[in-house]
C-alpha cells in the first residue's frame, strides 16, 4: 500500500500548487488525478487571474470589490488573506516561467474584469489556465524525488480511522482496474467543481463533484451550496464559454431591439458589472421578450479592434467559428447565461482545514468562503493557488506530528465489493447512466438557475430524490477492467446526485435574494435574517441536515450593492 505524508486528490491548479508547497516543506507527496494532470479542468481557464500588483492599486481595493461581489456573504478574513497574498503569487508564477502578457513598456499588462474597480487581471492571451498549469507541471516533474504522480487514478472514497481522522483514500487505476489503498497523514481534496450536475454547463465532463460528495459522505459540512454562478456569455447550444475577457476588452451586449440594455441595470459598470447582475439582466431581457427567437442576446466583439481580438482573444475566435459558425471579429455572436461555477463546497478555514482532522480542501471543491454569493471573474484561479499553497504547507506541517496510518486489508476488499456490485448490474433493462444524468442536468438548469422559486425548487428536489433511487439500478454494459468508463460514470452519477441535493436544499432554505441566488418569491436581500452561511451535512443517513455558520466581517459592513 502506498503511504505518504500528504495525499493530494486532484491535479488541477489547486492540487499541483498544494503538491509543490507540501514538497517544499519537506513532505513526501502523492498527487492523484483521474485524468492526466494537464487535462484537468483548470486548463480551460481563459481570461486571467486577479492581483493588485500595479502600484496605483491596493489589495484593500481588491478585497472590497471581492466582498461587494460576494454580496457580503464572503468571509472577509479569508478574502483579506487571498487579496494580500495575490501579488506575490503572480510574481512567483512569473519567475517560474508563466509568460504573462506584457504592456508596450515591458510591464506585466492587465485587462479589466467584471466587478473590479481597477484593471487588475493578469493574463496569457485567453489561455491563462493552460499557461499556468503547464508551468506548474514542469515544476512537479522537477520534484520527482518527493512527489509521486498517480495519473489516471480515480478516487472512490476517503478513509477514516476510529477516531474520525482522515487517513487517506481508496483509488482505482483506470488503466488496469486495480484498486489500491493510499495511506496518508494528511489528505487534501483538490478535485474541482461539479458543473456536470447541470446541463448545459461550461464545465468539462470530468467536473462531477467527486470530492464534494466524498467529503460530505464522511460527515464534512458543505457551505454556500445554493450559490451557483451562471456566466453571462455562453453559447446556447452547448454551453461553451465566451470569456469575460471579451467584455474586458470592450465588447458590448445588445438585445434584439439593438438596445445596449446594461445601461438600465448597471449604469456605471455596464457590461462589467458582476456576473450575477449581468446574467440576471440578460435573463430578464430574454424572459420579457427582448431576446432573439433562440432565447439569446447578442455579444458584439466587433467593438474590439480586430488586431487586438486576434492577439488577445484567439481561442474564442476559434470557438465562435467552430461551434457557432460566427466570425466574432466581424459580427455579433448570440449568447445567454449558462451554468459555470459553484461558489459552495467543502467548508474550510484559511489553511484549507475541514472540520475532519487530517482532511483539507482547496480550489473549486472547497468553500473558504472567498466568493460568498457571487465570485468575481479571475478570482478563482487566485483562490486555487493561494489556498492550494496554504493547504499544502499546513498539511505538510501537520504530517510532521502524526504517525503513518495503516488501513486494514478489509478496506480494500470493501472497496472492491462496491465496484463488483456495479459490474454485476444488468447490461440492459434499467435506465442508462447517461439518461439519468441528462434528466438531472436539465432539471437543475430549469429550476435551480438564474431565477428560482419555492415550487420549482420543490420539483427539483423531488426529481433528485427519484433519480437517487434509480441510479443504483442503472444499466452497465462494460464488464471489463481496462479504462472502464461505464463504472466510473456510475460512481460519478452518485456524486452528482449528492451535490445536486445539497444545492437544492440550501436554495430552498435561503428565503431571500443574494448574489447568484435570486428567489422570485423573496426578491429582496434580507440581512436581518439571512446574513449567514448555510451549511449542509449528512450524518450517517442519506438525508441532508441544514445548519448555519456566521459570516466573518472584518472591516466592510454590508451596504446596498449597485454597479
Ligand atoms: C471555461 C472556463 C473558463 C474559466 N476561466 C477562468 C479564468 O479565466 N479565471 C479564473 O479565475 N477562473 C476561471 N474559471 C474557473 C477556474 O478555471 C476553476 O474554478 C479552477 O481552474 C478549478 O481548479 P481546481 O484545481 O480546483 O480544479 P480542476 O482544475 O477542475 O482539477 C480537478 C482535479 O481533480 C481530479 N479529480 C476529480 N475527481 C477525481 C477523482 N474522483 N479521483 C481522482 N482525481 C479526481 C481531476 O482529474 C483534476 O485533476 C474558468 C472555468 C471554466 C469552466
Amino acid at each position: 500500500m502506498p503511504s505518504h505524508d500528504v495525499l493530494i486528490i486532484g491535479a488541477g491548479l489547486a492540487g499541483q500548487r498544494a503538491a509543490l508547497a507540501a514538497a517544499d516543506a519537506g513532505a513526501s507527496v502523492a498527487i492523484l488525478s483521474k485524468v492526466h494532470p494537464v487535462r484537468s479542468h483548470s486548463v480551460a481557464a481563459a481570461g486571467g487571474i486577479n492581483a493588485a500588483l500595479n502600484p496605483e492599486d491596493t489589495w484593500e481595493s481588491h478585497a472590497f470589490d471581492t466582498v461587494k461581489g460576494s454580496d457580503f456573504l464572503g468571509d472577509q478574513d479569508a478574502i483579506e488573506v487571498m487579496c494580500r497574498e495575490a501579488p506575490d503569487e503572480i510574481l512567483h508564477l512569473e519567475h517560474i516561467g508563466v509568460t504573462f502578457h506584457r504592456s508596450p513598456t515591458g510591464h506585466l499588462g492587465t485587462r479589466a474584469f467584471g466587478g473590479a474597480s481597477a484593471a487588475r487581471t493578469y493574463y496569457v492571451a485567453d489561455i491563462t489556465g493552460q499557461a499556468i498549469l503547464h508551468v506548474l507541471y514542469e515544476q512537479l516533474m522537477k520534484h520527482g524525488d518527493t512527489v509521486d504522480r498517480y495519473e489516471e487514478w480515480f478516487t472512490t472514497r476517503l478513509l477514516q480511522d476510529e477516531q474520525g481522522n482522515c487517513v487517506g483514500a481508496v483509488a482505482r487505476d483506470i488503466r488496469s482496474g486495480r484498486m489500491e489503498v493510499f495511506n496518508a497523514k494528511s489528505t487534501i481534496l483538490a478535485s474541482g467543481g461539479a458543473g456536470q450536475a447541470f446541463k448545459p454547463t461550461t464545465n468539462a465532463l470530468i467536473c462531477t463533484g467527486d470530492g464534494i460528495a466524498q467529503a460530505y459522505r464522511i460527515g464534512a459540512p458543505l457551505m454556500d451550496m445554493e450559490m451557483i454562478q451562471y456566466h453571462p456569455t455562453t453559447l446556447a447550444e452547448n454551453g461553451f464559454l465566451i470569456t469575460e475577457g471579451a467584455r474586458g476588452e470592450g465588447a458590448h451586449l445588445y438585445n434584439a431591439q439593438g438596445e445596449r440594455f446594461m445601461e438600465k441595470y448597471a449604469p456605471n459598470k455596464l457590461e462589467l458589472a458582476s456576473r450575477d447582475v449581468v446574467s440576471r439582466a440578460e435573463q430578464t431581457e430574454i424572459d420579457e421578450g427582448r431576446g432573439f427567437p433562440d432565447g439569446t442576446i447578442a455579444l458584439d466583439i466587433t467593438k474590439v479592434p480586430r488586431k487586438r481580438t486576434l492577439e488577445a482573444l484567439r481561442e474564442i475566435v476559434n470557438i465562435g467559428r467552430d461551434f457557432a459558425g460566427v466570425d466574432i471579429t466581424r459580427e455579433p455572436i448570440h449568447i445567454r447565461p449558462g451554468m459555470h461555477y459553484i461558489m459552495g463546497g467543502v467548508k474550510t478555514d484559511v489553511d484549507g482545514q475541514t472540520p475532519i482532522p487530517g482532511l483539507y480542501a482547496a480550489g473549486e471543491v472547497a468553500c473558504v468562503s472567498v466568493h460568498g454569493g457571487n465570485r468575481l471573474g479571475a478570482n478563482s484561479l487566485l483562490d486555487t493557488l493561494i489556498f492550494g499553497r496554504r493547504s499544502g504547507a499546513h498539511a505538510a506541517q501537520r504530517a510532521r506530528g502524526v504517525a503513518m496510518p495503516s488501513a486494514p486489508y478489509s478496506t480494500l476488499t470493501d472497496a472492491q465489493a462496491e465496484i463488483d456490485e456495479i459490474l454485476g448490474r444488468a447490461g440492459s433493462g434499467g435506465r442508462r447512466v447517461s439518461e439519468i444524468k441528462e434528466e438531472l442536468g436539465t432539471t437543475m438548469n430549469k429550476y435551480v438557475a438564474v431565477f428560482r422559486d419555492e415550487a420549482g425548487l420543490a420539483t427539483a428536489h423531488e426529481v433528485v430524490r427519484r433519480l437517487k433511487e434509480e441510479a443504483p439500478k442503472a444499466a452497465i454494459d462494460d464488464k471489463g477492467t481496462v479504462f472502464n468508463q461505464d463504472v466510473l460514470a456510475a460512481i460519478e452519477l452518485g456524486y452528482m446526485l449528492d451535490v445536486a441535493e445539497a444545492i437544492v436544499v440550501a436554495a430552498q432554505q435561503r428565503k431571500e435574494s443574494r448574489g447568484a441566488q435570486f428567489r422570485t418569491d423573496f426578491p429582496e436581500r434580507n440581512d436581518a435574517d439571512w446574513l449567514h452561511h448555510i451549511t449542509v451535512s449528512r450524518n450517517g443517513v442519506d438525508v441532508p441536515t441544514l445548519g448555519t455558520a456566521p459570516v466573518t466581517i472584518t472591516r466592510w459592513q454590508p451596504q446596498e450593492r449597485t454597479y
Side-chain angles (χ1 to χ4, degrees):
M1 287 181 196
S3 299
H4 293 86
D5 294 333
V6 180
L7 169 67
I8 297 164
I9 302 168
L13 287 181
Q16 294 201 30
R17 190 67 188 87
L20 291 168
D24 283 343
S28 69
V29 180
I31 183 163
L32 195 146
S33 169
K34 66 180 176 181
V35 293
H36 187 281
V38 297
R39 302 189 71 191
S40 299
H41 193 54
S42 294
V43 78
I49 175 167
N50 288 335
L53 191 55
N54 185 321
E56 282 119 51
D57 199 0
T58 63
W59 73 261
E60 289 92 339
S61 165
H62 182 189
F64 174 70
D65 290 344
T66 303
V67 170
K68 180 178 169 187
S70 81
D71 217 347
F72 297 89
L73 190 68
D75 282 328
Q76 296 181 12
D77 55 341
I79 292 172
E80 287 195 17
V81 166
M82 180 175 82
C83 298
R84 203 186 290 122
E85 295 182 4
D88 282 348
E89 193 64 32
I90 299 290
L91 292 178
H92 169 71
L93 292 175
E94 209 270 342
H95 292 165
I96 59 174
V98 178
T99 53
F100 283 114
H101 176 82
R102 284 183 180 264
S103 67
T105 57
H107 293 92
L108 291 180
T110 51
R111 62 167 46 124
F113 247 61
S117 49
R120 61 169 73 96
T121 302
Y122 294 86
Y123 63 97
V124 183
D126 52 355
I127 56 160
T128 311
Q130 178 183 335
I132 302 175
L133 196 65
H134 280 257
V135 167
L136 291 190
Y137 191 64
E138 284 167 11
Q139 297 295 314
L140 270 193
M141 289 195 284
K142 199 164 124 189
H143 284 76
D145 290 350
T146 44
V147 181
D148 290 338
R149 300 192 311 274
Y150 294 86
E151 298 171 355
E152 300 185 317
W153 281 73
F154 184 100
T155 313
T156 58
R157 61 155 104 163
L158 297 170
L159 296 176
Q160 275 177 297
D161 66 13
E162 281 170 4
Q163 289 72 47
N165 301 303
C166 182
V167 290
V170 180
R172 177 177 168 94
D173 180 356
I174 301 174
R175 270 169 283 201
S176 66
R178 180 168 64 93
M179 300 297 288
E180 188 65 272
V181 170
F182 288 78
N183 294 309
K185 297 178 183 174
S186 305
T187 302
I188 304 177
L189 279 170
S191 40
Q196 285 291 318
F198 290 70
K199 189 176 178 179
T201 172
T202 62
N203 288 198
L205 285 170
I206 54 174
C207 300
T208 47
D210 305 14
I212 302 177
Q214 286 166 0
Y216 178 58
R217 288 177 186 185
I218 65 163
L222 310 180
M223 193 164 87
D224 297 346
M225 291 298 285
E226 69 278 23
M227 299 302 180
I228 299 295
Q229 179 161 84
Y230 271 65
H231 191 290
T233 55
T234 71
L235 295 187
E237 283 301 304
N238 47 34
F240 280 20
L241 182 79
I242 304 294
T243 173
E244 187 166 313
R247 281 171 289 138
E249 297 286 345
H252 294 176
L253 292 166
Y254 294 101
N255 65 20
Q257 296 162 3
E259 293 162 342
R260 195 176 172 195
F261 58 86
M262 283 311 298
E263 288 167 355
K264 276 187 294 188
Y265 300 92
N268 297 319
K269 299 296 281 183
L270 298 161
E271 284 83 2
L272 289 179
S274 69
R275 288 178 177 174
D276 57 332
V277 172
V278 182
S279 285
R280 257 192 312 277
E282 290 179 358
Q283 197 62 52
T284 303
E285 293 295 301
I286 295 165
D287 292 349
E288 293 181 358
R290 293 183 293 277
F292 292 97
D294 59 351
T296 61
I297 47 108
L299 175 69
D300 188 358
I301 305 173
T302 66
K303 301 287 173 208
V304 183
R306 187 162 190 269
K307 182 169 176 294
R308 177 69 183 155
T309 302
L310 293 174
E311 172 195 278
L313 299 169
R314 57 191 183 224
E315 279 306 304
I316 59 167
V317 171
N318 295 338
I319 290 176
R321 187 193 59 219
D322 296 345
F323 296 99
V326 171
D327 177 353
I328 61 165
T329 66
R330 299 186 192 281
E331 56 183 321
I333 187 165
H334 285 196
I335 47 84
R336 70 178 181 194
M339 191 281 170
H340 181 59
Y341 184 86
I342 177 162
M343 267 72 75
V346 184
K347 182 180 185 326
T348 71
D349 67 9
V350 294
D351 291 314
Q353 294 186 96
T354 74
I356 296 194
L359 181 65
Y360 295 74
E364 200 169 333
V365 68
C367 178
V368 54
S369 134
V370 282
H371 310 303
N374 170 70
R375 168 175 75 89
L376 291 189
N379 261 355
S380 171
L381 294 187
L382 184 61
D383 167 13
T384 64
L385 295 166
I386 299 293
F387 296 104
R389 171 173 54 72
R390 293 178 70 95
S391 302
H394 202 280
Q397 184 198 338
R398 177 182 190 275
R400 283 198 283 274
V402 177
M404 186 61 77
S406 176
Y409 185 71
S410 59
T411 312
L412 202 51
T413 45
D414 290 351
Q416 183 61 50
E418 243 178 274
I419 301 286
D420 291 344
E421 180 279 315
I422 297 172
L423 287 169
R425 290 184 204 163
S428 58
R431 287 180 88 190
R432 310 197 65 76
V433 168
S434 57
E435 287 167 1
I436 298 174
K437 185 180 165 203
E438 167 94 18
E439 187 177 353
L440 172 68
T442 49
T443 300
M444 295 296 282
N445 196 44
K446 184 165 178 193
Y447 298 114
V448 202
V450 175
F451 293 115
R452 306 159 175 190
D453 62 24
E454 186 57 45
L457 291 170
T459 305
H461 197 192
E462 266 170 44
V463 172
V464 171
R465 288 303 306 180
R466 172 170 53 74
L467 297 180
K468 279 192 150 194
E469 282 169 25
E470 291 178 14
K473 293 173 267 179
I476 299 292
D477 285 328
D478 187 349
K479 308 289 180 188
T481 49
V482 178
F483 280 100
N484 188 331
Q485 297 295 338
D486 256 13
V487 167
L488 303 189
I491 300 172
E492 288 171 340
L493 177 63
Y495 296 147
M496 284 183 280
L497 286 164
D498 279 358
V499 172
E501 184 167 32
I503 293 169
V504 174
V505 297
Q508 283 178 301
Q509 177 76 354
R510 184 174 289 283
K511 293 179 178 46
E512 66 152 358
S513 292
R514 179 185 301 272
Q517 151 112 339
F518 194 96
R519 292 277 305 249
T520 52
D521 42 357
F522 299 99
E524 302 298 327
R525 191 176 91 190
N526 173 355
D527 288 339
D529 296 330
W530 292 104
L531 185 59
H532 56 69
H533 301 285
I534 292 172
T535 59
V536 188
S537 9
R538 195 169 94 158
N539 301 318
V541 283
D542 182 20
V543 178
T545 307
L546 290 157
T548 62
V551 172
T552 305
I553 294 180
T554 55
R555 55 173 102 184
W556 296 285
Q557 291 301 321
Q559 52 181 249
E560 194 193 348
R561 189 163 162 257
T562 52
Y563 285 100

